Amino acid sequence: MVNQVEPKLIKPLYDELQKERFVTLATVDYETGGPNISAISWVLAKDESTIYFAVDNRSRILANLGENNQVVINLIANESTYAIQGLAQVKEERLKDVPLKLALIEVSITAVRDVMFYGSKIVSDVQYDKTYDKNAAQKLDKQVMEAMRKA
């Protein structure tokens, strides 16, 4: 059975990307030309065709995007696993109203694929815990998500 390909986010995925959440991001490594995977959590669906994410200005992700702007965001949601393909560009070199030097990246979605293997479903969400000052983490997360919403 072939998984369906959508040109934009379906509503359950859009809804899941309205809050901070764990995703993985695949880029093309600028040195090796091979795949590079990063885990990120500051991600937001601006609309059904656009995703924003924020990363540190020193991130290898930015160097990779400078050479090849193709990305895949892997999202586990809606009882499945999705590969969200798109073209990324730096929207803001420095995200406003955030104490860290973060770049805002805009991804124009080209395809959304359900890539879960046949005959199965996800039965629990990915969970993670911040290992540094919880109050500081919560404050920073709120600042970053609000700044992305304003962009």
Side-chain angles (χ1 to χ4, degrees):
M1 180 160 143
V2 176
N3 291 332
Q4 190 166 345
V5 178
E6 300 290 341
K8 61 185 181 179
L9 295 173
I10 59 174
K11 180 149 179 37
L13 301 185
Y14 173 82
D15 292 345
E16 287 294 328
L17 291 171
Q18 292 306 299
K19 60 186 182 288
E20 178 194 3
R21 72 172 294 121
F22 175 88
V23 300
T24 56
L25 173 74
T27 58
V28 178
D29 191 272
Y30 76 97
E31 289 182 317
T32 68
N36 184 274
I37 303 291
S38 301
I40 60 174
S41 64
W42 291 324
V43 60
L44 172 75
K46 188 67 173 173
D47 55 47
E48 292 82 5
S49 300
T50 310
I51 294 175
Y52 288 168
F53 66 86
V55 294
D56 188 288
N57 277 317
R58 299 166 295 180
S59 173
R60 187 173 192 93
I61 293 167
L62 294 177
N64 291 346
L65 294 178
E67 294 294 318
N68 187 325
N69 71 337
Q70 296 179 80
V71 298
V72 176
I73 297 170
N74 175 249
L75 172 64
I76 298 172
N78 196 36
E79 298 186 333
S80 197
T81 302
Y82 296 87
I84 304 167
Q85 293 178 274
L87 302 175
Q89 65 179 9
V90 176
K91 181 170 175 62
E92 293 180 18
E93 295 282 338
R94 172 94 192 255
L95 196 54
K96 296 172 186 67
D97 302 321
V98 177
L100 298 178
K101 293 179 182 174
L102 301 178
L104 180 65
I105 310 302
E106 178 180 83
V107 178
S108 299
I109 296 170
T110 57
V112 179
R113 290 182 167 77
D114 181 334
V115 295
M116 190 69 190
F117 47 90
Y118 180 74
S120 61
K121 69 178 183 175
I122 299 294
V123 295
S124 66
D125 287 333
V126 173
Q127 296 180 8
Y128 59 94
D129 192 22
K130 301 282 174 85
T131 58
Y132 57 101
D133 182 309
K134 303 281 188 231
N135 292 331
Q138 187 176 21
K139 181 180 178 182
L140 179 60
D141 293 343
K142 183 178 179 185
Q143 288 173 323
V144 173
M145 295 304 289
E146 286 178 1
M148 287 196 302
R149 282 190 179 88
K150 291 178 188 175

